[in-house]
Amino acid sequence: REPFSDEHYDPLLYWYMSIATAVVFSTLGYVIGKREVMITDLALTDGLTSLYNKRYFTNRLEQEFERHLRQQSPMAVIQIDIDFFKRINDTYGHHVGDEVLKKIALLIKENCRKNEIAARVGGEELSIIAYDCVEDEAFNLAERIRQKITELDFSHLGISAPITASFGIAIADETNLKAADIYQHADEALYLAKKTGRNKVCLYSETINHFEE
């Protein structure tokens, strides 16, 4: 008999083999896809907080600044620093400091809109790129997060006093020649917040008036 004659053809077996092959390749594709997503996430996010990492933040800041120049769309950068974080680590241990940082990072992430990028840019320093966002809106976002941080409960970690954070905000305007300028201005506003008592939100425009006095 010919090897490929109708006598050797079993329609039911052929159907089963086709379905099995489709399932195997579909599963394999899903696994590979998930693995690629996981690798991408690891490359873009901070391992402790699950916020974006500094490298991704820097790239997005450049992109959004270019978009601002092209479209004249508003954007702001919010710098956040947890107050007395070194004291928390020294008093309660770094494992407690990590838990504090993770909880605050989650709060920030939950309060950001889809068009806002939250990242960990330093040890206890976090940052938000808020595009299509004017100064008042950025201030309201920062103030809302600041207030909610003070309401977080860390008693299960042995911390009874409220934990606070300081915020600095800068907006993209004619004084910014490059993306790094907005970041620097937000950092200067953050420095003012920490210098004048902490647990507050300061604008870059306030630093100009403050240091001119």
Side-chain angles (χ1 to χ4, degrees), residues 64-65 67-75 131-133 172:
E64 293 311 316
F65 184 69
R67 186 163 80 97
H68 158 74
L69 294 179
R70 290 195 311 270
Q71 303 177 6
Q72 292 301 299
S73 52
M75 67 173 289
Y131 44 96
D132 292 331
C133 181

Side-chain angles (χ1 to χ4, degrees), residues 53-78:
N53 58 29
K54 187 172 183 177
R55 181 180 180 182
Y56 180 80
F57 173 86
T58 302
N59 290 337
R60 285 303 300 267
L61 183 61
E62 294 282 353
Q63 292 171 10
E64 293 311 316
F65 184 69
E66 289 298 322
R67 186 163 80 97
H68 158 74
L69 294 179
R70 290 195 311 270
Q71 303 177 6
Q72 292 301 299
S73 52
M75 67 173 289
V77 170
I78 304 172

Side-chain angles (χ1 to χ4, degrees), residues 31-173:
V31 171
I32 292 173
K34 290 287 286 184
R35 183 172 180 273
E36 289 178 348
V37 168
M38 288 176 64
I39 292 173
T40 301
D41 286 346
L42 288 173
L44 300 180
T45 58
D46 172 64
L48 177 65
T49 63
S50 295
L51 297 179
Y52 288 112
N53 58 29
K54 187 172 183 177
R55 181 180 180 182
Y56 180 80
F57 173 86
T58 302
N59 290 337
R60 285 303 300 267
L61 183 61
E62 294 282 353
Q63 292 171 10
E64 293 311 316
F65 184 69
E66 289 298 322
R67 186 163 80 97
H68 158 74
L69 294 179
R70 290 195 311 270
Q71 303 177 6
Q72 292 301 299
S73 52
M75 67 173 289
V77 170
I78 304 172
Q79 287 285 82
I80 308 165
D81 190 84
I82 302 172
D83 297 330
F84 303 112
F85 190 72
K86 184 179 183 302
R87 185 184 298 175
I88 295 171
N89 279 333
D90 292 344
T91 304
Y92 302 98
H94 287 271
H95 64 290
V96 171
D98 287 349
E99 291 303 313
V100 169
L101 192 55
K102 285 195 292 186
K103 196 165 185 177
I104 290 176
L106 178 61
L107 185 151
I108 291 171
K109 197 172 183 179
E110 290 174 343
N111 280 272
C112 284
R113 302 174 299 179
K114 281 187 176 180
N115 59 340
E116 290 160 351
I117 304 296
R120 184 186 183 193
V121 295
E124 71 274 22
E125 294 182 13
L126 311 170
S127 193
I128 300 171
I129 303 170
Y131 44 96
D132 292 331
C133 181
V134 297
E135 189 175 69
D136 286 348
E137 292 172 331
F139 182 87
N140 290 339
L141 171 62
E143 182 58 29
R144 182 170 69 249
I145 293 173
R146 185 201 65 79
Q147 180 60 41
K148 288 188 175 183
I149 289 174
T150 66
E151 296 169 357
L152 289 175
D153 180 12
F154 294 102
S155 59
H156 63 290
L157 298 174
I159 303 174
S160 55
I163 289 177
T164 63
S166 301
F167 294 71
I169 299 174
I171 58 168
D173 58 24

